[in-house]
Amino acid sequence: MTDQKPSVLFVCVHNAGRSQMAAGYLRHLAGNAIEVRSAGSMPAEQINPVAVAAMREEGIDITAEAPKVLTTEAVQASDVVITMGCGDACPFFPGKRYEDWKLDDPAGQGIDSVRPIRDDIKGRIETLVGELLGKQ
């Protein structure tokens, strides 16, 4: 039995919407049981304010987060790498679990369009937490 907690890296191009919402949910649902990272291949200047508003409706505050550039080190340090439409920009390492979540990009969309994306992410995160922490 290892004390090392699983780590998850969420990657999307701008690290401003989908990956930030996913990271926010994972931190909220898993607490400190899972290490959470997010990054983008071309990070935006700031997080999408509509993504922030959509998460606030769920009682999750992601305003302190900032888009970060994707590094090889972040991928190497993660057990699970979840991409959200960043294509070939993500380095591949053997032995990692990779998933690509097909999600609409919330960039430039209103809150009514972002809510279903948020809710889709929430469901996927709940499944992921169950898989990683053995809570079926």
Side-chain angles (χ1 to χ4, degrees), residues 6-84:
S7 59
V8 177
L9 171 64
F10 296 103
V11 180
C12 65
V13 174
H14 300 301
N15 189 216
R18 294 164 288 188
S19 55
Q20 293 288 356
M21 289 192 287
Y25 269 126
L26 187 53
R27 284 188 194 97
H28 180 73
L29 294 171
N32 293 326
I34 297 174
E35 193 174 342
V36 182
R37 297 181 181 91
S38 70
S41 50
M42 294 186 301
E45 297 279 316
Q46 63 183 32
I47 293 186
N48 180 340
V50 181
V52 171
M55 293 301 285
R56 189 175 295 126
E57 291 179 351
E58 293 281 290
I60 300 171
D61 182 3
I62 60 170
T63 53
E65 299 299 320
K68 292 172 285 301
V69 70
L70 176 65
T71 64
T72 301
E73 292 76 25
V75 176
Q76 285 179 305
S78 301
D79 301 309
V80 181
V81 179
I82 296 174
T83 55
M84 300 171 167

